[in-house]
Amino acid sequence: MSHHLLTVDSLNRESVDHLLRVAARMEPIAQRRQVTRVLEGAVLGNLFFEASTRTRVSFHAAFCRLGGSVCDTTGFTFSSMAKGESLYDTSRVMSGYCDAIVMRHPDQGSVAEFAAATNVPVINGGDGPGEHPSQALLDLYTIDKEFQRLGKSLTNAHILLTGDLKYGRTVHSLIKLLSLYDPLRITLVSPPGLEMPSKLIDLVASRGHRIEQRDSLASDFADLDVVYTTRIQKERFTDEMNESFQGLSDDFMVNRDFLDHRCSQSTIVMHPLPRDSRPGANDLNVDLNGDPRLAIFRQTDNGIPMRMAIFATLLKVDELIEQDTRPVRWYVPSQIGTLDR
Amino acid sequence: MSHHLLTVDSLNRESVDHLLRVAARMEPIAQRRQVTRVLEGAVLGNLFFEASTRTRVSFHAAFCRLGGSVCDTTGFTFSSMAKGESLYDTSRVMSGYCDAIVMRHPDQGSVAEFAAATNVPVINGGDGPGEHPSQALLDLYTIDKEFQRLGKSLTNAHILLTGDLKYGRTVHSLIKLLSLYDPLRITLVSPPGLEMPSKLIDLVASRGHRIEQRDSLASDFADLDVVYTTRIQKERFTDEMNESFQGLSDDFMVNRDFLDHRCSQSTIVMHPLPRDSRPGANDLNVDLNGDPRLAIFRQTDNGIPMRMAIFATLLKVDELIEQDTRPVRWYVPSQIGTLDR
Amino acid sequence: MSHHLLTVDSLNRESVDHLLRVAARMEPIAQRRQVTRVLEGAVLGNLFFEASTRTRVSFHAAFCRLGGSVCDTTGFTFSSMAKGESLYDTSRVMSGYCDAIVMRHPDQGSVAEFAAATNVPVINGGDGPGEHPSQALLDLYTIDKEFQRLGKSLTNAHILLTGDLKYGRTVHSLIKLLSLYDPLRITLVSPPGLEMPSKLIDLVASRGHRIEQRDSLASDFADLDVVYTTRIQKERFTDEMNESFQGLSDDFMVNRDFLDHRCSQSTIVMHPLPRDSRPGANDLNVDLNGDPRLAIFRQTDNGIPMRMAIFATLLKVDELIEQDTRPVRWYVPSQIGTLDR
């Protein structure tokens, strides 16, 4: 694994396996049964040039759970950058203050430019249409963990990716990670005009996976292990797409009916969140709330151990964790495994 | 005490007494003579959908003083919610990251809706015209502590609530808590149109307290123990009220003259803050600054031990504190008890 | 040293020497070779009424590296102050929550007004055209450290201050601190209309230093030890100044050509940052990036030990540090001394 985490392209099977293993080791801490102080004294710069509460809090909490301190900065314009400071200067300055940096920025490539100017580990927390590698890693970790729970294996698993497969950066990164694993069956379902880029389809096929495109969810998915759904953002549509989508939208709706009638009792449902719960939003249906197959909140929970694993690996404390844990003393509500899970 | 702290209505005499006792136990830490690490590893999500610097910093500092870490989020629109994320989803996601959540939101009922979706303890930090229970608790704690200092007892104490008694949520919550205690004399003084809702007056009377309404401060308050004043927000006034108030405003002014001539040397003055110190603001007069009867800064100081008590109780470390304290090593300026106090 | 740090005028040779010594003692921690917990339990209120990411993060990180917790507040209007709360009330309230306060505010004198109402140590993080004393202290510390590295001494050192010497508050504060030291040669170069105020020139001269004004950089600086450059903000210009500056701007440009042809191999370049890297910005040229004489990032790095020294001194733990350090356990990238440094 390189010094930074900027793109999933820099990861290979070995480095991904390592992160999955370290994340699993983080579970007792992430689930608040143990505490550690291994990153005591370390400071994370959590630089969000673009607002993303969920991602920011997840990185923040993960770093704290390792014993470190976090300095958040949020805002579309940072004061210095508004005065003409280059990314190079900002990077050099911040790396004198912080021991690791998470950066989210609306411009593709900006995080890599920032990282090039520093030796301090930089994690890409999303650079516009570019990458968001920790999301793909926590998605893969979720599939792995759910499969273990269900007694399944990744070999020959059948995974459906649906929704906006053209612009959804999370599915692009996830499919690249999945392609590093045992032969899979991957099915793609998206409205016309929002198909997965052919470059990615070719990559996956070239690595020996069965990859197939269908044009609606109205078919049999009885052997489906995972449905990973992303929101179809109508803002992306051309007039023509908009018109044709009216008659189609039901064909792309992941809801209880689809799960009950087309899939199986062990099909899990994932989503990168946030989910648009407003009526007519063309997003994952809220009628699945409370269904144990809905894995979306277990998925965000998994962001903590995976981001802890990323920090621990980049800061080289991944081997020290076991030696530095204590039982937690405060009350831990039985969040995990209760309510609708 | 329930799992969350959403409203004072969920509190009874026993749970309030418990919080007062735990808050008193927190004093050595709140006054920076001791430090504890009892919440080490715990993460507070401090979610302010509406800005309130004072309340946010108070909860933040209280959690830190117990050894925990805090992740703040401030802003009228959270990024995810702007994308249509429901309070249900936000709640499930945040409770995977945090061990306790303080939430302030402009909409009444929103904090309860958020809390219903999670097992993690949620504290209502103010939901618009709704509740702000930790304020009422620190107010009660202040009265209790001041009475101890002055050798007084709550039995038959005479407490004046004045200002905007119709819209001021703090006086509504405080009067409910007070009504759980020994028979009190409560006097209400407000301009016409801003009277305490009769439902609350009836509740207090039904619990055996003497409650009385007067129409100005221009009468004798020689036996008064506490004057609790809130700002009269002229923004609330109808034209008619505005006109009639012109001639009346002096009748509702709490200032040194009122204290010196109508009250006694042991009458204390409280206010939920912030206080509008601009000329003509119809708020607690600044001519009382430096007078030892002005308890408003001791009152905000008390927010720390009370909020520590709330966290410690909800996270079930209230019995562990004494076992995990060390003397503070840094210099503590003699803030408490000096300057104008 | 007084209770607060509001202005460099309150510092004398002894207190400055003390801070330089303590900052040097902080280096093992600032360079992430050791960690300390000496401020455990302490809470810093980092109050930025005006955005300044760099300064805020620097104070934040410095306090964390001493083992304390930080509560940030950023924004042009604080919610309470927007409701008419006085600086006096804000100060009293915040000092009940925090053990030290850093405050930045656009209005000159506001930080002193805030500090007058509290016993808790207050550090001026910049009050508009007023003071920013920690910047001057880190600048002096940088000169001292660079001189040690180069085997030079402050006695008879030749220091050039250039750029906007009229409005640049950093050069005003720095020149006051420098004037406390051994006889120096100070040269001032600024465009007409942006000269150093004569009051300051007289002060420096009265303390026995050689101080000289030149009207361009186009002369010999072979014996120069330090060039301290600040951006010329054309926004400050009158029409007349603007016109005349067109033909002059090259005369005030600090770049590689100036360093290579007018100065020496041991001349170091400083700048308070941020630097405007946009073309035509009249700021320190980016063609010096990678040149070891460019000390600007070492200079910002030095903000950490100096701000640690300020906190440690005000909170009286400056003598305790050595007794409470442990080796760092995480990986420290070889930031310091690598890349272009």
Side-chain angles (χ1 to χ4, degrees):
Chain A
M1 192 160 161
S2 104
H3 190 58
H4 304 301
L5 179 60
L6 302 175
T7 159
V8 295
D9 294 333
S10 70
L11 300 170
N12 55 28
R13 175 70 186 261
E14 193 186 358
S15 53
V16 174
D17 275 344
H18 177 79
L19 287 169
L20 295 178
R21 266 197 315 273
V22 178
R25 242 184 275 153
M26 297 297 174
E27 289 288 353
I29 303 169
Q31 293 173 18
R32 305 118 190 229
R33 289 182 278 115
Q34 296 186 348
V35 296
T36 184
R37 216 180 274 167
V38 77
L39 282 192
E40 185 178 26
V43 177
L44 171 67
N46 212 16
L47 309 186
F48 279 66
F49 291 78
E50 179 182 69
S52 173
T53 304
R54 208 167 21 83
T55 305
R56 182 174 55 81
V57 176
S58 180
F59 277 115
H60 188 124
F63 204 79
C64 286
R65 293 206 187 279
L66 288 166
S69 300
V70 181
C71 185
D72 279 329
T73 298
T74 316
F76 282 77
T77 54
F78 279 31
S79 52
S80 292
M81 305 199 95
K83 292 178 194 152
E85 185 170 78
S86 64
L87 275 172
Y88 176 85
D89 279 16
T90 305
S91 176
R92 303 308 305 274
V93 169
M94 295 306 297
S95 49
Y97 301 157
C98 304
D99 305 302
I101 288 165
V102 170
M103 180 169 163
R104 190 185 191 104
H105 196 287
D107 299 336
Q108 186 164 12
S110 56
V111 180
E113 185 186 342
F114 183 96
T118 178
N119 281 331
V120 169
V122 175
I123 297 167
N124 187 351
D127 60 334
E131 289 258 2
H132 186 14
S134 66
Q135 176 71 45
L137 284 161
L138 77 87
D139 288 344
L140 181 67
Y141 180 61
T142 299
I143 294 172
D144 191 48
K145 215 171 130 181
E146 293 285 315
F147 278 23
Q148 283 180 36
R149 184 175 63 86
L150 296 164
K152 291 181 173 186
S153 116
L154 256 179
T155 310
N156 290 316
H158 184 188
I159 295 169
L160 166 65
L161 305 176
T162 184
D164 176 356
L165 303 183
K166 182 173 181 185
Y167 298 106
R169 71 181 166 195
T170 52
V171 285
H172 298 175
S173 298
L174 176 58
I175 208 172
K176 286 179 187 172
L177 287 189
L178 284 170
S179 75
L180 298 174
Y181 279 79
D182 302 322
L184 300 170
R185 271 187 68 198
I186 297 177
T187 302
L188 308 172
V189 174
S190 58
L194 295 178
E195 290 90 354
M196 176 75 69
S198 56
K199 209 177 56 178
L200 276 166
I201 296 180
D202 294 347
L203 172 79
V204 172
S206 76
R207 289 181 176 168
H209 303 279
R210 281 173 61 193
I211 186 158
E212 177 194 355
Q213 288 185 285
R214 296 192 202 168
D215 52 13
S216 110
L217 294 177
S219 64
D220 181 47
F221 287 98
D223 66 349
L224 194 65
D225 297 298
V226 178
V227 47
Y228 192 105
T229 177
T230 59
R231 182 162 83 94
I232 293 166
Q233 297 179 270
K234 283 179 118 177
E235 308 86 275
R236 304 267 195 201
F237 280 19
T238 59
D239 282 353
E240 202 186 354
M241 285 163 72
N242 225 342
E243 209 163 290
S244 68
F245 187 66
Q246 297 307 322
L248 292 172
S249 62
D250 281 358
D251 296 344
F252 303 98
M253 186 63 76
V254 175
N255 53 22
R256 187 178 289 266
D257 184 64
F258 172 70
L259 263 281
D260 283 350
H261 296 106
R262 308 278 181 184
C263 307
S264 82
Q265 277 308 312
S266 71
T267 308
I268 61 159
V269 180
M270 296 174 63
H271 186 294
L273 300 189
R275 154 173 79 159
D276 191 339
S277 293
R278 290 172 294 194
N282 295 306
D283 209 338
L284 175 62
N285 205 298
V286 295
D287 70 358
L288 280 164
N289 287 0
D291 190 305
R293 292 171 293 185
L294 188 75
I296 61 175
F297 301 120
R298 296 191 295 270
Q299 187 183 356
T300 61
D301 285 356
N302 289 333
I304 299 293
M306 180 45 76
R307 289 180 171 122
M308 290 175 76
I310 293 167
F311 287 129
T313 301
L314 291 175
L315 292 164
K316 304 204 193 311
V317 292
D318 42 334
E319 302 300 331
L320 301 179
I321 296 291
E322 269 96 351
Q323 307 159 31
D324 182 48
T325 55
R326 270 168 306 288
V328 76
R329 284 182 293 174
W330 73 88
Y331 165 69
V332 185
S334 49
Q335 176 68 18
I336 292 143
T338 62
L339 284 181
D340 57 5
R341 318 198 222 190
Chain B
M1 192 161 161
S2 104
H3 190 57
H4 303 300
L5 178 60
L6 301 176
T7 159
V8 295
D9 294 333
S10 71
L11 299 171
N12 56 27
R13 175 70 186 261
E14 192 185 358
S15 54
V16 175
D17 275 344
H18 176 79
L19 287 170
L20 295 178
R21 267 196 315 273
V22 178
R25 241 184 276 153
M26 296 298 173
E27 289 287 353
I29 302 169
Q31 292 172 19
R32 306 117 190 231
R33 289 183 278 114
Q34 295 185 348
V35 296
T36 184
R37 216 181 274 165
V38 78
L39 282 192
E40 185 177 26
V43 176
L44 171 67
N46 212 16
L47 309 187
F48 279 65
F49 291 77
E50 178 182 70
S52 173
T53 304
R54 209 166 22 83
T55 305
R56 182 174 56 81
V57 176
S58 179
F59 277 114
H60 188 124
F63 204 79
C64 286
R65 293 205 187 278
L66 288 166
S69 300
V70 180
C71 185
D72 279 328
T73 298
T74 316
F76 280 77
T77 54
F78 278 31
S79 52
S80 293
M81 306 199 96
K83 291 178 195 151
E85 185 170 78
S86 65
L87 274 172
Y88 176 85
D89 278 16
T90 305
S91 176
R92 302 307 306 273
V93 169
M94 294 307 297
S95 51
Y97 301 158
C98 304
D99 305 302
I101 288 165
V102 170
M103 181 170 162
R104 190 184 192 104
H105 196 288
D107 298 336
Q108 185 163 12
S110 57
V111 180
E113 185 186 342
F114 183 96
T118 178
N119 282 331
V120 168
V122 174
I123 297 168
N124 187 352
D127 60 334
E131 288 258 3
H132 186 14
S134 65
Q135 176 71 46
L137 285 162
L138 77 87
D139 288 344
L140 180 67
Y141 180 61
T142 299
I143 294 171
D144 191 49
K145 216 172 128 180
E146 293 284 316
F147 277 23
Q148 282 180 38
R149 186 175 63 84
L150 296 164
K152 292 182 172 185
S153 116
L154 256 180
T155 310
N156 291 316
H158 184 187
I159 294 169
L160 165 66
L161 305 177
T162 183
D164 175 357
L165 304 184
K166 182 172 182 186
Y167 298 105
R169 71 180 166 196
T170 52
V171 285
H172 299 175
S173 297
L174 176 58
I175 208 172
K176 286 180 186 172
L177 287 188
L178 284 170
S179 75
L180 298 174
Y181 279 80
D182 303 323
L184 301 170
R185 271 186 67 198
I186 296 177
T187 302
L188 308 172
V189 174
S190 57
L194 295 178
E195 290 90 355
M196 175 76 68
S198 56
K199 210 177 53 176
L200 276 167
I201 296 179
D202 295 346
L203 173 80
V204 172
S206 77
R207 289 184 176 164
H209 304 279
R210 282 173 59 194
I211 187 160
E212 176 193 357
Q213 287 185 283
R214 296 193 202 168
D215 52 12
S216 109
L217 293 177
S219 64
D220 180 46
F221 287 99
D223 65 350
L224 193 65
D225 297 299
V226 178
V227 47
Y228 191 105
T229 177
T230 59
R231 182 161 83 93
I232 293 166
Q233 297 178 271
K234 283 178 117 178
E235 308 85 274
R236 304 266 195 201
F237 281 19
T238 60
D239 282 353
E240 202 187 355
M241 285 163 72
N242 224 342
E243 211 163 288
S244 69
F245 187 66
Q246 297 307 321
L248 292 173
S249 62
D250 281 357
D251 296 344
F252 303 98
M253 186 64 76
V254 176
N255 52 22
R256 187 179 289 267
D257 184 66
F258 172 70
L259 262 280
D260 283 350
H261 296 106
R262 306 280 180 184
C263 307
S264 82
Q265 276 309 311
S266 70
T267 308
I268 61 159
V269 181
M270 295 174 64
H271 187 293
L273 300 189
R275 154 173 80 158
D276 191 339
S277 293
R278 291 171 294 194
N282 296 305
D283 209 338
L284 175 62
N285 205 299
V286 295
D287 71 357
L288 280 164
N289 287 1
D291 190 306
R293 293 171 291 186
L294 187 76
I296 60 175
F297 301 119
R298 295 192 295 271
Q299 186 183 357
T300 61
D301 286 355
N302 288 335
I304 299 293
M306 178 46 76
R307 290 183 171 119
M308 290 174 74
I310 293 167
F311 287 130
T313 301
L314 292 175
L315 292 164
K316 305 204 191 311
V317 292
D318 42 333
E319 303 299 331
L320 301 179
I321 296 291
E322 269 96 350
Q323 307 158 31
D324 182 47
T325 55
R326 271 168 305 287
V328 75
R329 285 182 292 173
W330 72 90
Y331 164 70
V332 186
S334 49
Q335 176 66 18
I336 293 142
T338 61
L339 283 180
D340 57 6
R341 315 198 223 191
Chain C
M1 190 160 160
S2 104
H3 190 57
H4 303 300
L5 178 60
L6 302 175
T7 158
V8 296
D9 294 333
S10 71
L11 299 171
N12 56 27
R13 174 69 186 260
E14 192 186 358
S15 54
V16 175
D17 275 344
H18 176 80
L19 288 169
L20 295 178
R21 266 197 315 273
V22 177
R25 242 184 276 153
M26 296 298 174
E27 288 288 352
I29 303 169
Q31 293 172 19
R32 305 119 190 226
R33 288 183 278 114
Q34 296 186 348
V35 295
T36 185
R37 216 180 272 167
V38 78
L39 283 192
E40 185 177 24
V43 176
L44 171 68
N46 212 16
L47 309 186
F48 279 66
F49 291 78
E50 178 182 71
S52 173
T53 304
R54 209 165 22 83
T55 305
R56 181 175 56 80
V57 176
S58 180
F59 277 115
H60 188 124
F63 204 79
C64 286
R65 293 205 186 279
L66 289 166
S69 299
V70 181
C71 185
D72 278 328
T73 298
T74 316
F76 281 78
T77 54
F78 278 31
S79 52
S80 293
M81 305 199 97
K83 291 177 195 153
E85 185 170 77
S86 65
L87 275 172
Y88 176 85
D89 278 16
T90 305
S91 176
R92 303 307 307 274
V93 169
M94 295 306 297
S95 49
Y97 301 158
C98 304
D99 306 302
I101 287 164
V102 170
M103 181 170 163
R104 189 185 192 104
H105 196 287
D107 299 336
Q108 186 164 11
S110 56
V111 180
E113 185 185 341
F114 184 96
T118 178
N119 282 332
V120 169
V122 174
I123 297 167
N124 187 351
D127 60 334
E131 288 257 4
H132 187 12
S134 65
Q135 177 71 45
L137 285 162
L138 78 87
D139 289 344
L140 180 67
Y141 180 60
T142 300
I143 294 172
D144 191 48
K145 214 172 130 181
E146 293 285 316
F147 277 23
Q148 283 180 36
R149 186 175 62 87
L150 296 164
K152 292 182 171 184
S153 115
L154 256 180
T155 310
N156 290 316
H158 184 187
I159 294 170
L160 166 66
L161 304 176
T162 183
D164 176 357
L165 303 183
K166 182 172 182 186
Y167 298 105
R169 71 180 166 195
T170 52
V171 286
H172 298 176
S173 298
L174 176 58
I175 208 171
K176 287 179 186 171
L177 287 189
L178 284 170
S179 75
L180 300 173
Y181 280 78
D182 304 322
L184 301 170
R185 271 186 68 197
I186 296 177
T187 303
L188 308 172
V189 174
S190 58
L194 296 178
E195 290 91 354
M196 175 76 69
S198 56
K199 209 178 55 178
L200 275 167
I201 296 180
D202 295 346
L203 172 80
V204 172
S206 76
R207 289 182 176 167
H209 303 280
R210 282 173 60 195
I211 186 160
E212 175 194 358
Q213 287 185 284
R214 296 192 202 170
D215 53 12
S216 111
L217 294 177
S219 63
D220 181 46
F221 287 98
D223 65 349
L224 193 66
D225 297 298
V226 178
V227 47
Y228 191 105
T229 177
T230 60
R231 182 161 83 94
I232 294 167
Q233 297 178 270
K234 283 179 116 178
E235 308 87 274
R236 303 268 195 202
F237 280 19
T238 59
D239 282 353
E240 201 186 356
M241 284 164 73
N242 225 340
E243 210 164 288
S244 68
F245 188 66
Q246 297 307 321
L248 292 172
S249 62
D250 281 358
D251 296 344
F252 303 98
M253 185 64 75
V254 175
N255 53 22
R256 187 178 289 267
D257 184 65
F258 172 69
L259 263 280
D260 283 349
H261 296 106
R262 307 278 182 186
C263 307
S264 82
Q265 276 309 311
S266 70
T267 308
I268 61 159
V269 180
M270 296 174 63
H271 187 293
L273 300 188
R275 154 172 81 157
D276 191 338
S277 293
R278 291 173 294 195
N282 295 307
D283 208 338
L284 175 62
N285 205 298
V286 295
D287 70 358
L288 280 164
N289 287 1
D291 190 306
R293 292 171 293 187
L294 187 76
I296 60 176
F297 301 120
R298 295 191 296 271
Q299 186 182 356
T300 61
D301 286 356
N302 288 333
I304 299 293
M306 178 45 76
R307 289 181 171 121
M308 291 174 74
I310 293 166
F311 287 129
T313 302
L314 292 175
L315 292 164
K316 305 204 193 311
V317 292
D318 43 334
E319 303 300 331
L320 301 180
I321 296 290
E322 269 95 350
Q323 307 158 31
D324 182 47
T325 55
R326 269 168 308 287
V328 75
R329 286 182 292 173
W330 73 88
Y331 165 70
V332 186
S334 49
Q335 176 66 20
I336 293 143
T338 61
L339 283 181
D340 57 7
R341 318 199 222 188

